[in-house]
Amino acid sequence: MAYSTNIEPTHPPTTSSSTSRPSTEDDVPVIIVGAGIVGLVLALALHQHLGITPVLYEQCSQFQPVGAGMSVYPNGLRVLRDLGLLPTVQNAGFPYQTRQWERHDGSVIMTAQEDVLGRNENDTTPLRTVGIKRWKLQIILLSAVQSKGIPIHFGKAIQEVRETKSSSGTVTVRLSDGTHRTAALVLAADGTKSVVRKYVTEMELHNHPLKHAGTTTLMGLASIPRNDDRISIVTSLTSQCHAVFFPVSPTEQCFQFHFPMKDTSDGDDSWSTMTKTIEHEHCQELAQRLTQDGWDEQYIRPLRSVSQAIQIHSCLLDQKLETWVRGNVVLLGDAAHPPVPFIGQGAQQGLEDAGTLALLLRALCCSTRGKLDVQNLSQALKLYEQIRIPRANELLDLSQLTGDQRRKRSQSARYAEVREEIIQRQVFFHETSPNMLPGATHDYRKAVEKVLKALPQRMPILIEDDEDEEEASSKNGNCTC
């Protein structure tokens, strides 16, 4: 499917129940559960790095764009760059020049240059964070997947996962239409309410139910430009909330208002797109409240010009997972680590999961391009957990800390005064908030290279151009791994 990101359809294109051949009971090398952002990136990474064509199953009946706007940070952009998608994503979004901490009356606490987050010794030029409509990124990824001939089957949820006891360790999944598919590897990127996670964690003492993270967010898009190309982090003592504003195009911006939740007993996350009537009422009520609380007009104007809004109740696992792998079944993205939204690393960690796993499989499980050699699969999956679990947990803790700091600033004048002084000192010495650096500056390829170099009697060939690999494989039929 060809799609130009310069054209803004009133309704993003939809996809029928299958983008390729109909489902059969034939064996496939890899099944991906979930065709959201992480599932699509994972499919592209497997195809790019190993020459494998996976099959994706998505429970939604058709392509459904969700969310409002999102930030793609440099660590996520590195994954997309390796898939050849960086220019397309940059052109479809809007790069930030500065990051600014502000008070609700419009006064400025501190300003940082955004390219600080994109500085990496392996990048020829700093990558700058991109604000983008979430559905635009979805369409870019979906178009790329379809151009590779990777089949996606919509309207097919996973009902059951079952592994064989043989040495090959194949996995059979039962689909909602009653059919079965068998694969060497099942990769689950099926989101916060992951069905496959229940299978992976079945042997653990706790079932890891979801719990609310204590925050509800009103997020939306407004058809008015930002005053400049900055992302603003705003706190308010009068309204006891904090907000974020960033551009997604030269003429549009995304707003996010984060409020503490009074009742966090129900662990049912919600990404609910409101009807136009309710959307308008919610935003106008909030605009009136913020006006009374003394917010600057630049923060209220987007609520009055809202084009789309959703309400999100952030959820976490009751306990972090100690394992993301069971046999030949693997968790990625929100299925493994549901995020909170305060440092913009939720989606980025899913992208890192996908890129990391693909590179490990290429190095350890690819003897012939397009074929998955399962002999070293268990080792590859152990390294995946070794790299990704500590990394994702670190970023999750840092995001929670950042959210707590912003919440306390909105509830205590004394704390707000102290924190503002700390922010000023931190930005002076680090050139940005140190809470943002561990996420954005990370290079997933270097993390993979490090663990592979530590393996005995192995010299991994990792940092090569994949086009050169494909050319080499076409000559000798082998994967350069």
Side-chain angles (χ1 to χ4, degrees):
M1 177 182 71
Y3 179 77
S4 170
T5 55
N6 294 322
I7 300 174
E8 300 261 353
T10 304
H11 300 285
T14 58
T15 309
S16 61
S17 60
S18 174
T19 65
S20 186
R21 61 183 184 275
S23 176
T24 70
E25 296 189 6
D26 297 338
D27 290 356
V28 294
V30 177
I31 287 173
I32 296 176
V33 185
I37 288 174
V38 175
L40 294 172
V41 168
L42 179 59
L44 292 169
L46 293 176
H47 191 276
Q48 173 87 357
H49 298 307
L50 289 89
I52 286 177
T53 301
V55 177
L56 291 95
Y57 290 101
E58 168 58 48
Q59 66 175 349
C60 293
S61 60
Q62 60 184 12
F63 171 77
Q64 293 184 351
V66 296
M70 62 180 291
S71 299
V72 188
Y73 281 85
N75 56 317
L77 290 173
R78 291 184 185 101
V79 179
L80 297 173
R81 179 182 60 192
D82 291 346
L83 301 176
L85 296 175
L86 180 60
T88 306
V89 171
Q90 290 173 324
N91 291 335
F94 198 90
Y96 312 152
Q97 300 295 326
T98 59
R99 176 173 298 265
Q100 193 158 278
W101 291 263
E102 304 167 7
R103 304 178 190 92
H104 75 273
D105 62 1
S107 56
V108 177
I109 300 168
M110 200 63 175
T111 303
Q113 296 300 310
E114 190 68 7
D115 62 3
V116 173
L117 298 180
R119 294 176 187 172
N120 184 288
E121 60 183 8
N122 300 304
D123 296 333
T124 54
T125 58
L127 293 170
R128 195 170 272 119
T129 310
V130 174
I132 191 171
K133 292 180 180 180
R134 181 176 285 267
W135 67 259
K136 271 193 175 184
L137 180 57
Q138 287 178 282
I139 288 175
I140 290 170
L141 297 173
L142 179 64
S143 298
V145 165
Q146 292 176 322
S147 72
K148 303 293 185 184
I150 301 172
I152 309 176
H153 302 287
F154 288 88
K156 293 195 176 185
I158 301 298
Q159 299 291 319
E160 182 185 11
V161 179
R162 184 175 66 252
E163 289 191 86
T164 65
K165 300 296 183 181
S166 65
S167 58
S168 63
T170 57
V171 186
T172 300
V173 298
R174 178 169 59 86
L175 303 167
S176 54
D177 62 357
T179 61
H180 295 74
R181 291 300 296 268
T182 298
L185 188 60
V186 170
L187 308 177
D190 51 340
T192 301
K193 296 181 181 179
S194 170
V195 173
V196 182
R197 182 173 61 227
K198 296 178 181 179
Y199 170 80
V200 172
T201 62
E202 190 176 84
M203 304 303 292
E204 297 188 19
L205 294 177
H206 302 282
N207 194 27
H208 298 281
L210 292 170
K211 66 175 182 179
H212 277 310
T215 300
T216 184
T217 301
L218 178 65
M219 176 190 297
L221 295 169
S223 300
I224 55 173
R226 299 283 290 139
N227 292 332
D228 55 29
D229 47 11
R230 75 183 189 274
I231 177 172
S232 298
I233 299 95
V234 185
T235 56
S236 171
L237 282 164
T238 58
S239 304
Q240 294 194 332
C241 70
H242 53 98
V244 180
F245 302 83
F246 57 87
V248 294
S249 79
T251 59
E252 297 168 289
Q253 62 176 293
C254 179
F255 60 83
Q256 301 173 357
F257 288 89
H258 303 285
F259 298 92
M261 290 184 65
K262 296 180 180 179
D263 180 11
T264 60
S265 58
D266 180 14
D268 181 21
D269 70 333
S270 173
W271 277 62
S272 53
T273 302
M274 295 176 280
T275 66
K276 287 296 181 182
T277 300
I278 296 177
E279 169 186 293
H280 180 78
E281 290 176 354
H282 272 52
C283 291
Q284 297 313 306
E285 288 174 3
L286 181 56
Q288 183 177 358
R289 172 184 166 185
L290 298 185
T291 300
Q292 295 171 348
D293 288 346
W295 284 62
D296 190 86
E297 179 63 23
Q298 64 177 304
Y299 309 128
I300 301 173
R301 194 178 302 116
L303 293 168
R304 294 179 176 145
S305 305
V306 63
S307 58
Q308 177 189 347
I310 59 173
Q311 189 168 2
I312 304 170
H313 303 315
S314 297
C315 285
L316 296 168
L317 292 176
D318 186 48
Q319 294 184 13
K320 293 171 184 169
L321 300 184
E322 296 180 2
T323 179
W324 297 357
V325 176
R326 180 180 174 186
N328 290 13
V329 182
V330 185
L331 301 178
L332 302 93
D334 291 358
H337 44 83
V340 286
F342 305 117
I343 58 173
Q345 281 295 316
Q348 322 310 310
Q349 290 311 293
L351 298 185
E352 285 187 17
D353 291 345
T356 298
L357 183 58
L359 290 186
L360 288 170
L361 293 175
R362 182 182 81 174
L364 296 171
C365 303
C366 180
S367 58
T368 303
R369 188 165 181 82
K371 301 289 184 180
L372 188 66
D373 183 352
V374 298
Q375 181 177 352
N376 296 318
L377 182 59
S378 62
Q379 184 179 34
L381 298 184
K382 286 179 182 177
L383 291 178
Y384 168 71
E385 289 186 307
Q386 177 184 323
I387 295 172
R388 294 303 306 150
I389 292 179
R391 164 80 178 153
N393 286 344
E394 175 194 8
L395 271 295
L396 180 57
D397 290 343
L398 198 54
S399 186
Q400 289 179 282
L401 172 64
T402 303
D404 288 342
Q405 291 171 342
R406 293 178 187 172
R407 176 179 55 80
K408 291 177 182 177
R409 282 172 59 202
S410 70
Q411 295 176 340
S412 166
R414 177 56 183 157
Y415 184 87
E417 181 181 356
V418 172
R419 279 302 308 170
E420 288 178 6
E421 292 177 357
I422 292 173
I423 289 170
Q424 291 168 344
R425 289 201 302 269
Q426 288 179 332
V427 174
F428 178 80
F429 287 107
H430 298 278
E431 299 183 82
T432 190
S433 168
N435 287 9
M436 302 300 299
L437 290 170
T441 58
H442 183 78
D443 189 331
Y444 79 107
R445 295 179 73 97
K446 298 301 291 184
V448 174
E449 185 179 34
K450 181 179 179 180
V451 299
L452 289 177
K453 283 183 175 179
L455 294 179
Q457 299 178 341
R458 185 167 188 90
M459 295 296 292
I461 304 174
L462 265 182
I463 312 302
E464 292 188 354
D465 184 79
D466 283 301
E467 291 184 1
D468 293 339
E469 289 183 10
E470 290 182 8
E471 182 179 352
S473 72
S474 66
K475 294 178 180 179
N476 59 26
N478 292 324
C479 177
T480 58
C481 43

